Amino acid sequence: MPAQFSPAQALASARRTLQTEIQGLQHLSARLDGSFAEAARLLLDCRGRVVVSGLGKTGHIARKIAATLASTGTPAFFVHAAEAVHGDLGMITADDVLIALSYSGTGAELLTIVPVVRRMGARLISITGNPDSDLARLADVHLDASVAQEACPLSLAPTASTTASLALGDALAVACMEARGFGKEDFARSHPGGALGRRLLTHVSDVMRQGKDLPIVPQDAPLFRALEEISAKRMGMTAVVDAAGRPVGIFTDGDLRRLIERQGDVRGLPVAAGMSRNPRSIGPDALAAEAAQIMDTLRLNQMLVVDAQGELLGALHIHDLMAAKVV
């Protein structure tokens, strides 16, 4: 640890950095104008892909903007400006929109590829800190990301300026997202491996037990038959159905204990004597997350799945939902 390190000085430095970047964003917000709306319109009208390009620290910001656009309903990808001049320019077509990021607006690599991109017919949005730069003048739409000062005390490391560029990219992504009516389900489809994707894309029918794995006995079955079904299917319960296959009850391990407490010798009783009537059920098209919420609220370990006519289709155990990672 450096001999001059001071926790108090570190906190003061952090607060100065954050305040500088906050002020930069406030100034950016205050000067937003019709150019931003024009840029959003270009992205919404794009028939191809949005290509985001930059170099160095700005290149990292460009990559993040492309990822945010792609995950919120605007097809996009990142092209490194240096790689573009050595062949990756072939990824860009006339139907695309190029977002070029360069704080100075004078990056040689970007200025090399921009005329080629314009010549092929693609549209250009530039994000720079210099409205009078060559990159700004060549663009269809220019967005001003200038800041009064960097947070870096040497004013050398891009800090407040990269934050401003990133925030502009986020603003464009969100504006397009809202204009498209992009919702949670759409977001989940582009994030199927994440927790949100599992919660919004997994339905009860995907995780319920059915067919030979579903414990079922008729309501006139003897109690020992229900116990055999519970043991064989390992759900801690069995559904009890009428002659039409509609559930009239559910018999669980807990029901068995309560029946023994009331009756003592239960060997000659039918399952209907101890079942819980009017069991809670859910439809197969409901989200598994909804089933989990109901089961958690009502403190249920199992729940039946029925169709619109009330016929039994399957059953859920809380362990099924845990295995599907929706709880």
Side-chain angles (χ1 to χ4, degrees):
M1 181 182 295
Q4 300 301 315
F5 176 78
S6 164
Q9 289 178 354
L11 286 172
S13 174
R15 292 189 176 102
R16 284 195 302 272
T17 296
L18 294 176
Q19 190 58 40
T20 299
E21 300 203 358
I22 288 169
Q23 290 174 352
L25 292 178
Q26 288 173 335
H27 294 156
L28 174 61
S29 176
R31 66 170 179 266
L32 282 179
D33 56 20
S35 296
F36 180 87
E38 291 178 31
R41 172 58 65 186
L42 280 181
L43 299 185
L44 290 168
D45 289 342
C46 179
R47 294 175 297 172
R49 296 289 188 271
V50 176
V51 184
V52 193
S53 187
L55 191 69
K57 303 294 190 300
T58 306
H60 296 306
I61 299 301
R63 188 184 297 274
K64 165 58 171 63
I65 292 173
T68 300
L69 286 166
S71 69
T72 54
T74 301
F77 63 91
F78 168 76
V79 170
H80 194 283
E83 299 296 334
V85 298
H86 293 287
D88 283 2
L89 195 58
M91 297 179 180
I92 305 175
T93 73
D95 291 330
D96 296 335
V97 172
L98 173 65
I99 301 178
L101 282 79
S102 168
Y103 191 69
S104 68
T106 60
E109 290 83 1
L110 281 174
L111 289 177
T112 298
I113 67 173
V114 162
V116 181
V117 170
R118 295 306 307 271
R119 198 155 46 242
M120 71 173 64
R123 309 299 295 275
L124 173 64
I125 299 169
S126 65
I127 298 178
T128 82
N130 183 2
D132 295 323
S133 64
D134 290 339
L135 186 58
R137 288 195 294 267
L138 287 169
D140 293 292
V141 179
H142 172 254
L143 298 179
D144 182 3
S146 61
V147 294
Q149 65 182 95
E150 298 286 8
C152 168
L154 303 176
S155 199
L156 295 175
T159 46
S161 60
T162 48
T163 298
S165 296
L166 179 60
L168 265 178
D170 287 343
L172 282 172
V174 172
C176 292
M177 178 182 179
E178 292 176 345
R180 296 181 196 279
F182 190 88
K184 288 183 178 180
E185 292 76 11
D186 302 299
F187 190 86
R189 277 190 285 273
S190 62
H191 298 75
L196 179 63
R198 288 191 295 271
R199 289 181 61 83
L200 294 181
L201 297 180
T202 303
H203 293 83
V204 167
S205 58
D206 297 323
V207 295
M208 71 182 186
R209 303 194 197 183
Q210 55 188 318
K212 62 181 180 59
D213 297 319
L214 178 62
I216 305 175
V217 296
Q219 60 184 336
D220 58 355
L223 193 60
F224 77 86
R225 178 69 187 89
L227 296 180
E228 290 176 345
E229 191 73 352
I230 291 174
S231 298
K233 304 299 174 62
R234 298 180 180 277
M235 282 197 71
M237 71 92 190
T238 182
V240 184
V241 299
D242 61 18
R246 293 183 175 84
V248 295
I250 185 173
F251 187 75
T252 68
D253 293 335
D255 291 323
L256 175 61
R257 290 193 297 272
R258 288 185 287 272
L259 183 61
I260 292 174
E261 289 173 358
R262 292 197 309 268
Q263 300 290 336
D265 187 354
V266 298
R267 288 175 293 181
L269 296 177
V271 66
M275 70 181 182
S276 297
R277 298 180 181 276
N278 302 314
R280 186 62 186 255
S281 62
I282 194 168
D285 296 328
L287 291 174
E290 179 186 349
Q293 182 180 25
I294 294 171
M295 294 171 74
D296 183 58
T297 301
L298 300 179
R299 299 183 181 278
L300 302 176
N301 287 326
Q302 308 94 349
M303 188 160 62
L304 302 183
V305 182
V306 301
D307 63 15
Q309 289 70 45
E311 294 188 10
L312 183 66
L313 298 179
L316 285 174
H317 194 284
I318 192 65
H319 291 163
D320 301 327
L321 299 172
M322 294 173 66
K325 297 182 179 180
V326 295
V327 293

